[in-house]
Coordinates of all heavy atoms in Angstrom, one line a residue:
M1 N 82.3 91.6 120.9 CA 81.2 91.5 121.7 C 80.5 90.2 121.3 O 80.4 89.8 120.2 CB 80.2 92.7 121.5 CG 79.0 92.6 122.4 SD 77.9 94.0 122.2 CE 79.0 95.3 122.7
S2 N 80.0 89.5 122.3 CA 79.3 88.3 122.1 C 78.0 88.5 121.4 O 77.3 89.5 121.6 CB 79.1 87.6 123.5 OG 78.2 86.5 123.4
S3 N 77.5 87.5 120.7 CA 76.2 87.6 120.1 C 75.1 86.8 121.0 O 74.1 86.5 120.5 CB 76.2 87.0 118.7 OG 76.6 85.7 118.7
S4 N 75.5 86.6 122.2 CA 74.6 85.9 123.2 C 73.3 86.7 123.3 O 73.2 87.9 123.4 CB 75.3 85.8 124.5 OG 74.4 85.4 125.5
S5 N 72.2 85.9 123.4 CA 70.9 86.6 123.6 C 70.6 87.0 125.0 O 69.6 87.7 125.3 CB 69.8 85.6 123.1 OG 69.8 84.5 123.9
D6 N 71.4 86.6 126.0 CA 71.2 86.9 127.4 C 72.0 88.1 127.9 O 72.1 88.4 129.0 CB 71.3 85.7 128.3 CG 72.8 85.2 128.3 OD1 73.6 85.6 127.5 OD2 73.0 84.3 129.1
Q7 N 72.7 88.8 127.0 CA 73.6 89.9 127.4 C 72.7 91.1 127.6 O 71.8 91.4 126.8 CB 74.6 90.2 126.3 CG 75.6 91.3 126.7 CD 76.7 91.5 125.7 OE1 76.6 91.0 124.6 NE2 77.7 92.2 126.1
S8 N 72.9 91.8 128.7 CA 72.2 93.1 128.9 C 73.2 94.2 129.2 O 74.3 93.9 129.7 CB 71.2 92.9 130.0 OG 71.8 92.5 131.2
L9 N 72.8 95.4 128.8 CA 73.6 96.6 129.0 C 72.8 97.5 129.9 O 71.6 97.5 130.0 CB 73.8 97.2 127.7 CG 74.5 96.3 126.6 CD1 74.4 97.0 125.2 CD2 75.9 96.0 127.0
I10 N 73.6 98.4 130.6 CA 73.0 99.3 131.6 C 72.7 100.6 130.9 O 73.6 101.2 130.3 CB 73.9 99.5 132.8 CG1 74.2 98.1 133.4 CG2 73.2 100.4 133.8 CD1 75.3 98.2 134.5
L11 N 71.5 101.1 131.1 CA 71.1 102.5 130.7 C 71.0 103.4 131.9 O 70.4 103.0 132.9 CB 69.7 102.4 130.0 CG 69.7 102.0 128.5 CD1 68.3 101.7 128.1 CD2 70.3 103.1 127.7
Y12 N 71.6 104.6 131.7 CA 71.4 105.6 132.7 C 70.7 106.8 132.1 O 71.0 107.2 130.9 CB 72.8 106.1 133.2 CG 73.6 105.1 133.9 CD1 74.4 104.2 133.3 CD2 73.5 104.9 135.3 CE1 75.1 103.2 134.0 CE2 74.2 104.0 136.0 CZ 75.0 103.1 135.3 OH 75.7 102.2 136.0
H13 N 69.8 107.4 132.8 CA 69.1 108.6 132.4 C 69.9 109.8 132.8 O 70.4 109.9 133.9 CB 67.7 108.7 133.0 CG 66.9 109.9 132.6 ND1 66.9 111.1 133.3 CD2 66.2 110.1 131.4 CE1 66.2 112.0 132.7 NE2 65.8 111.4 131.5
V14 N 70.1 110.7 131.8 CA 71.0 111.9 132.0 C 70.1 113.1 132.1 O 69.3 113.4 131.2 CB 72.0 112.0 130.9 CG1 72.9 113.2 131.1 CG2 72.8 110.8 130.7
N15 N 70.3 113.9 133.2 CA 69.5 115.2 133.3 C 70.4 116.3 132.6 O 71.6 116.1 132.4 CB 69.3 115.5 134.8 CG 68.4 114.4 135.4 OD1 67.3 114.1 134.9 ND2 68.9 113.9 136.5
K16 N 69.7 117.4 132.3 CA 70.4 118.5 131.7 C 71.6 119.0 132.4 O 72.5 119.6 131.9 CB 69.4 119.6 131.4 CG 68.4 119.2 130.3 CD 67.5 120.3 130.0 CE 66.5 119.9 128.9 NZ 65.5 120.9 128.6
D17 N 71.6 118.9 133.8 CA 72.7 119.4 134.6 C 73.8 118.4 134.7 O 74.8 118.6 135.4 CB 72.2 119.8 136.0 CG 71.6 118.6 136.8 OD1 71.6 117.5 136.3 OD2 71.2 118.9 137.9
G18 N 73.7 117.2 134.1 CA 74.7 116.2 134.1 C 74.5 115.1 135.2 O 75.2 114.2 135.3
S19 N 73.5 115.4 136.1 CA 73.2 114.4 137.1 C 72.5 113.2 136.4 O 72.1 113.3 135.2 CB 72.3 114.9 138.2 OG 71.1 115.3 137.6
F20 N 72.4 112.1 137.1 CA 72.0 110.8 136.4 C 71.3 109.9 137.4 O 71.5 110.0 138.6 CB 73.1 110.2 135.6 CG 74.2 109.6 136.6 CD1 74.2 108.4 137.1 CD2 75.2 110.5 137.0 CE1 75.1 107.9 137.9 CE2 76.2 110.0 137.8 CZ 76.2 108.7 138.3
S21 N 70.6 108.9 136.8 CA 70.1 107.8 137.6 C 70.0 106.6 136.7 O 69.9 106.7 135.5 CB 68.7 108.2 138.2 OG 67.8 108.5 137.1
E22 N 70.1 105.4 137.3 CA 70.0 104.2 136.5 C 68.6 104.1 136.0 O 67.6 104.2 136.8 CB 70.4 103.0 137.4 CG 70.6 101.8 136.5 CD 71.3 100.6 137.2 OE1 72.2 100.9 138.1 OE2 70.9 99.5 137.0
F23 N 68.4 103.8 134.7 CA 67.1 103.8 134.1 C 66.6 102.3 133.9 O 65.4 102.1 134.0 CB 67.2 104.5 132.8 CG 65.9 104.6 132.0 CD1 64.9 105.5 132.4 CD2 65.6 103.7 131.0 CE1 63.7 105.6 131.8 CE2 64.3 103.8 130.3 CZ 63.4 104.7 130.7
G24 N 67.5 101.4 133.6 CA 67.1 100.1 133.3 C 68.2 99.4 132.5 O 69.4 99.8 132.5
T25 N 67.8 98.4 131.7 CA 68.7 97.6 130.9 C 68.2 97.6 129.4 O 67.0 97.7 129.1 CB 68.9 96.2 131.4 OG1 67.6 95.5 131.4 CG2 69.5 96.2 132.8
A26 N 69.2 97.4 128.5 CA 68.9 97.2 127.1 C 69.4 95.8 126.8 O 70.4 95.3 127.5 CB 69.6 98.2 126.2
S27 N 68.8 95.1 125.9 CA 69.3 93.7 125.6 C 70.0 93.7 124.3 O 69.7 94.5 123.4 CB 68.1 92.7 125.7 OG 67.1 93.1 124.8
V28 N 70.8 92.7 124.1 CA 71.6 92.6 122.8 C 71.3 91.2 122.3 O 71.3 90.2 123.0 CB 73.1 92.7 123.1 CG1 73.9 92.5 121.8 CG2 73.4 94.0 123.7
L29 N 71.0 91.2 121.0 CA 70.8 89.9 120.3 C 71.4 90.1 118.9 O 71.0 91.0 118.1 CB 69.3 89.6 120.1 CG 68.9 88.4 119.3 CD1 69.5 87.1 120.0 CD2 67.4 88.2 119.2
N30 N 72.5 89.2 118.6 CA 73.2 89.3 117.4 C 73.7 90.7 117.0 O 73.5 91.2 115.9 CB 72.3 88.8 116.2 CG 72.0 87.3 116.4 OD1 72.8 86.5 116.9 ND2 70.8 86.9 116.0
H31 N 74.2 91.4 118.0 CA 74.8 92.7 117.9 C 73.8 93.8 117.7 O 74.1 95.0 117.6 CB 75.8 92.8 116.7 CG 77.0 91.9 116.9 ND1 78.0 92.1 117.8 CD2 77.2 90.7 116.3 CE1 78.8 91.1 117.7 NE2 78.4 90.2 116.8
D32 N 72.5 93.5 117.8 CA 71.4 94.5 117.7 C 71.1 94.8 119.2 O 70.9 94.0 120.0 CB 70.2 94.0 117.0 CG 70.4 93.9 115.5 OD1 71.2 94.7 114.9 OD2 69.8 93.0 114.9
V33 N 70.9 96.1 119.5 CA 70.5 96.6 120.8 C 69.0 96.9 120.8 O 68.5 97.6 119.9 CB 71.3 97.8 121.2 CG1 70.9 98.3 122.6 CG2 72.8 97.5 121.2
F34 N 68.3 96.4 121.8 CA 66.9 96.6 122.0 C 66.7 97.4 123.3 O 67.1 96.9 124.4 CB 66.1 95.3 122.0 CG 66.3 94.5 120.7 CD1 67.3 93.6 120.6 CD2 65.4 94.8 119.7 CE1 67.4 92.9 119.4 CE2 65.5 94.1 118.5 CZ 66.5 93.2 118.3
F35 N 66.1 98.6 123.1 CA 65.9 99.5 124.3 C 64.6 99.3 124.9 O 63.6 98.9 124.2 CB 66.0 101.0 123.8 CG 67.4 101.3 123.2 CD1 67.5 101.6 121.9 CD2 68.5 101.4 124.1 CE1 68.8 101.9 121.4 CE2 69.7 101.7 123.6 CZ 69.9 102.0 122.2
P36 N 64.5 99.6 126.2 CA 63.2 99.5 126.9 C 62.3 100.7 126.5 O 62.7 101.6 125.9 CB 63.6 99.5 128.4 CG 64.8 100.4 128.4 CD 65.5 100.0 127.1
E37 N 61.0 100.5 126.9 CA 60.0 101.6 126.7 C 60.6 102.9 127.3 O 61.1 102.9 128.4 CB 58.7 101.2 127.3 CG 57.6 102.1 127.0 CD 56.4 101.5 126.4 OE1 56.5 100.2 126.2 OE2 55.5 102.1 126.2
G38 N 60.4 104.0 126.6 CA 60.8 105.3 127.1 C 62.1 105.8 126.4 O 62.5 106.9 126.6
V39 N 62.7 104.9 125.7 CA 63.9 105.3 124.9 C 63.6 105.2 123.5 O 63.2 104.1 123.0 CB 65.1 104.3 125.2 CG1 66.4 104.7 124.4 CG2 65.4 104.3 126.7
R40 N 63.7 106.3 122.7 CA 63.3 106.4 121.4 C 64.2 105.7 120.4 O 63.9 105.5 119.2 CB 63.0 107.8 120.9 CG 61.9 108.4 121.7 CD 61.6 109.8 121.2 NE 62.8 110.6 121.4 CZ 62.9 111.9 121.0 NH1 62.0 112.5 120.4 NH2 64.1 112.5 121.2
G41 N 65.4 105.4 120.8 CA 66.4 104.8 119.9 C 67.8 105.5 120.1 O 68.0 106.3 121.0
W42 N 68.6 105.3 119.1 CA 70.0 105.8 119.2 C 70.1 107.3 119.2 O 71.0 107.9 119.7 CB 70.9 105.3 118.0 CG 71.2 103.8 118.2 CD1 70.8 102.8 117.5 CD2 72.1 103.3 119.2 NE1 71.3 101.6 118.0 CE2 72.1 101.9 119.1 CE3 72.8 103.8 120.3 CZ2 72.8 101.0 119.9 CZ3 73.5 103.0 121.1 CH2 73.5 101.6 120.9
S43 N 69.1 108.0 118.7 CA 69.1 109.5 118.8 C 69.1 110.0 120.2 O 69.5 111.1 120.5 CB 68.0 110.1 117.9 OG 66.8 109.7 118.4
D44 N 68.6 109.2 121.1 CA 68.5 109.5 122.6 C 69.7 109.0 123.3 O 69.9 109.4 124.5 CB 67.3 108.8 123.2 CG 66.0 109.6 123.0 OD1 66.0 110.7 122.5 OD2 64.9 109.0 123.3
V45 N 70.5 108.1 122.7 CA 71.5 107.4 123.5 C 72.9 107.6 123.1 O 73.2 107.6 121.9 CB 71.2 105.9 123.4 CG1 72.2 105.0 124.2 CG2 69.8 105.6 123.9
L46 N 73.8 107.9 124.0 CA 75.3 107.9 123.8 C 75.8 106.5 124.1 O 75.7 106.0 125.3 CB 75.9 109.0 124.7 CG 77.5 109.0 124.6 CD1 77.9 109.4 123.2 CD2 78.0 110.0 125.6
D47 N 76.4 105.8 123.1 CA 76.9 104.5 123.3 C 78.3 104.6 124.0 O 79.2 105.1 123.4 CB 77.0 103.8 122.0 CG 77.4 102.3 122.1 OD1 77.7 101.9 123.3 OD2 77.3 101.6 121.1
C48 N 78.4 104.2 125.2 CA 79.7 104.3 126.0 C 80.4 103.0 126.1 O 81.3 102.9 126.9 CB 79.4 104.9 127.4 SG 78.7 106.6 127.4
R49 N 80.2 102.1 125.1 CA 80.9 100.9 125.1 C 82.3 101.0 124.4 O 83.2 100.4 124.8 CB 80.1 99.8 124.5 CG 78.8 99.4 125.3 CD 77.9 98.5 124.5 NE 77.4 99.1 123.3 CZ 76.9 98.4 122.3 NH1 76.8 97.1 122.4 NH2 76.4 99.0 121.3
P50 N 82.4 101.8 123.4 CA 83.7 101.9 122.7 C 84.6 102.9 123.3 O 84.1 103.7 124.2 CB 83.3 102.3 121.3 CG 82.1 103.0 121.4 CD 81.3 102.4 122.6
E51 N 85.8 103.0 122.9 CA 86.8 104.0 123.3 C 86.2 105.3 122.8 O 85.6 105.4 121.7 CB 88.2 103.8 122.7 CG 88.8 102.5 123.3 CD 89.3 102.7 124.7 OE1 89.3 103.8 125.2 OE2 89.5 101.7 125.4
P52 N 86.4 106.5 123.4 CA 87.2 106.7 124.6 C 86.3 106.5 125.9 O 86.7 106.7 127.0 CB 87.7 108.1 124.5 CG 86.6 108.8 123.8 CD 86.0 107.7 122.8
Y53 N 85.0 106.2 125.7 CA 84.0 106.3 126.8 C 84.1 105.1 127.7 O 83.8 105.2 128.9 CB 82.6 106.3 126.2 CG 82.4 107.4 125.2 CD1 82.3 107.1 123.8 CD2 82.4 108.7 125.5 CE1 82.1 108.1 122.9 CE2 82.2 109.7 124.6 CZ 82.1 109.4 123.3 OH 82.0 110.4 122.3
K54 N 84.5 103.9 127.2 CA 84.4 102.7 128.1 C 85.4 102.8 129.3 O 85.1 102.1 130.3 CB 84.7 101.5 127.3 CG 86.1 101.2 126.8 CD 86.1 99.9 126.1 CE 87.6 99.5 125.8 NZ 87.6 98.2 125.1
N55 N 86.4 103.6 129.2 CA 87.3 103.7 130.4 C 87.0 104.9 131.3 O 87.7 105.1 132.2 CB 88.8 103.7 129.9 CG 89.2 102.4 129.2 OD1 88.8 101.4 129.6 ND2 89.9 102.5 128.2
K56 N 86.0 105.6 131.0 CA 85.5 106.7 131.8 C 84.5 106.3 132.8 O 83.8 105.2 132.6 CB 85.0 107.8 130.9 CG 86.0 108.4 130.0 CD 85.5 109.6 129.2 CE 86.4 110.1 128.2 NZ 87.5 110.9 128.8
T57 N 84.3 107.1 133.8 CA 83.3 106.8 134.8 C 81.9 107.1 134.3 O 81.7 107.8 133.3 CB 83.5 107.6 136.1 OG1 83.3 109.0 135.8 CG2 84.9 107.3 136.7
V58 N 80.9 106.6 135.0 CA 79.5 106.9 134.6 C 79.3 108.4 134.7 O 78.7 109.1 133.9 CB 78.5 106.2 135.6 CG1 77.1 106.7 135.3 CG2 78.6 104.7 135.4
E59 N 79.9 109.0 135.8 CA 79.7 110.5 136.0 C 80.3 111.3 134.8 O 79.7 112.2 134.4 CB 80.4 110.9 137.3 CG 79.8 110.4 138.6 CD 80.2 108.9 138.9 OE1 81.0 108.3 138.3 OE2 79.6 108.4 139.9
E60 N 81.5 110.9 134.4 CA 82.2 111.6 133.3 C 81.3 111.4 132.0 O 81.2 112.4 131.3 CB 83.6 111.0 133.0 CG 84.6 111.4 134.1 CD 85.9 110.6 134.0 OE1 85.9 109.4 133.7 OE2 86.9 111.3 134.2
N61 N 80.9 110.2 131.7 CA 80.1 110.0 130.5 C 78.7 110.8 130.6 O 78.3 111.3 129.6 CB 79.8 108.5 130.3 CG 81.1 107.8 129.8 OD1 81.9 108.4 129.1 ND2 81.2 106.6 130.1
C62 N 78.1 110.8 131.7 CA 76.8 111.5 131.8 C 77.1 113.0 131.7 O 76.2 113.7 131.0 CB 76.2 111.2 133.2 SG 75.4 109.6 133.2
H63 N 78.1 113.5 132.2 CA 78.5 115.0 132.1 C 78.6 115.3 130.6 O 78.1 116.3 130.1 CB 79.7 115.3 132.8 CG 80.1 116.7 132.7 ND1 79.5 117.7 133.4 CD2 81.1 117.3 132.0 CE1 80.0 118.9 133.1 NE2 81.0 118.7 132.2
F64 N 79.4 114.5 129.8 CA 79.6 114.7 128.4 C 78.2 114.6 127.7 O 77.9 115.4 126.8 CB 80.6 113.7 127.8 CG 80.8 113.9 126.4 CD1 81.5 114.9 125.9 CD2 80.3 113.0 125.5 CE1 81.7 115.1 124.5 CE2 80.4 113.1 124.1 CZ 81.2 114.2 123.6
A65 N 77.4 113.5 128.0 CA 76.2 113.3 127.3 C 75.2 114.5 127.5 O 74.5 114.9 126.5 CB 75.5 112.1 127.9
S66 N 75.3 115.2 128.6 CA 74.4 116.3 128.9 C 74.8 117.5 127.9 O 73.9 118.2 127.5 CB 74.4 116.8 130.3 OG 75.7 117.4 130.6
H67 N 76.1 117.6 127.6 CA 76.5 118.6 126.7 C 76.2 118.3 125.2 O 76.2 119.3 124.4 CB 78.0 118.9 126.9 CG 78.3 119.5 128.2 ND1 78.0 120.9 128.4 CD2 78.8 119.0 129.3 CE1 78.3 121.2 129.7 NE2 78.8 120.1 130.3
V68 N 76.0 117.1 124.8 CA 75.7 116.7 123.4 C 74.3 116.4 123.3 O 73.9 115.8 122.3 CB 76.7 115.6 122.9 CG1 78.1 116.1 122.8 CG2 76.6 114.4 123.7
H69 N 73.5 116.7 124.3 CA 72.0 116.6 124.2 C 71.5 115.1 124.1 O 70.6 114.9 123.4 CB 71.4 117.5 123.2 CG 71.8 118.9 123.3 ND1 71.4 119.7 124.3 CD2 72.7 119.6 122.6 CE1 71.9 120.9 124.1 NE2 72.8 120.9 123.1
K70 N 72.2 114.2 124.8 CA 71.7 112.8 124.8 C 71.0 112.6 126.2 O 71.4 113.1 127.2 CB 72.9 111.9 124.7 CG 73.6 111.9 123.4 CD 72.7 111.4 122.3 CE 73.5 111.3 121.0 NZ 72.7 110.7 119.9
K71 N 69.9 111.9 126.1 CA 69.1 111.7 127.3 C 69.5 110.5 128.1 O 69.1 110.3 129.3 CB 67.6 111.5 126.9 CG 67.1 112.8 126.3 CD 65.6 112.5 125.8 CE 65.1 113.8 125.1 NZ 63.8 113.6 124.6
F72 N 70.3 109.6 127.5 CA 70.7 108.3 128.1 C 72.1 108.0 127.7 O 72.6 108.4 126.6 CB 69.8 107.1 127.6 CG 68.4 107.3 127.9 CD1 67.5 107.9 127.0 CD2 67.8 106.9 129.2 CE1 66.2 108.1 127.3 CE2 66.5 107.1 129.5 CZ 65.6 107.7 128.5
I73 N 72.8 107.2 128.5 CA 74.1 106.6 128.1 C 73.9 105.1 128.3 O 73.1 104.6 129.1 CB 75.3 107.1 128.9 CG1 75.2 106.7 130.4 CG2 75.5 108.6 128.8 CD1 76.5 106.8 131.1
L74 N 74.6 104.4 127.4 CA 74.6 102.9 127.4 C 75.9 102.4 127.8 O 76.9 102.8 127.1 CB 74.1 102.4 126.1 CG 74.0 100.9 125.9 CD1 72.8 100.4 126.6 CD2 74.0 100.6 124.4
M75 N 76.0 101.6 128.8 CA 77.3 101.1 129.3 C 77.2 99.6 129.5 O 76.2 99.0 129.8 CB 77.8 101.8 130.6 CG 78.0 103.2 130.4 SD 78.7 104.0 131.8 CE 80.4 103.4 131.7
A76 N 78.4 98.9 129.2 CA 78.5 97.5 129.5 C 78.6 97.3 131.1 O 79.1 98.2 131.7 CB 79.7 96.9 128.9
P77 N 78.0 96.3 131.6 CA 78.2 96.0 133.1 C 79.7 95.9 133.4 O 80.5 95.4 132.6 CB 77.5 94.7 133.3 CG 76.8 94.3 132.0 CD 77.3 95.2 130.9
K78 N 80.1 96.3 134.6 CA 81.4 96.2 135.0 C 81.8 94.7 135.2 O 81.0 94.0 135.8 CB 81.7 97.0 136.3 CG 81.5 98.5 136.2 CD 82.6 99.0 135.4 CE 82.5 100.6 135.3 NZ 83.3 101.2 134.3
K79 N 82.9 94.3 134.8 CA 83.4 93.0 135.0 C 84.1 92.9 136.3 O 84.8 93.7 136.7 CB 84.3 92.5 133.9 CG 83.6 92.5 132.5 CD 84.5 92.0 131.5 CE 83.8 92.0 130.1 NZ 84.6 91.6 129.0
D80 N 83.8 91.8 137.0 CA 84.4 91.6 138.4 C 85.9 91.2 138.3 O 86.3 90.6 137.4 CB 83.6 90.6 139.2 CG 82.2 91.0 139.4 OD1 82.0 92.2 139.5 OD2 81.3 90.2 139.5

């Protein structure tokens, strides 16, 4: 992963039933992730950047996150 200061990641809010909505973005600086207001930190977030999550759909990751009591998932933007 780049240590660029302009990299942003996508956050999705996960409901208890596995439904979801896009919440906003988190920024990365020197491998540190900074969450927007409303996200308490990693205890709220399932990091879906590494395997096995990065190759799954947003729907699949949100469904899993709802079962492990995570309120958000963090995903890298899709590359064109």
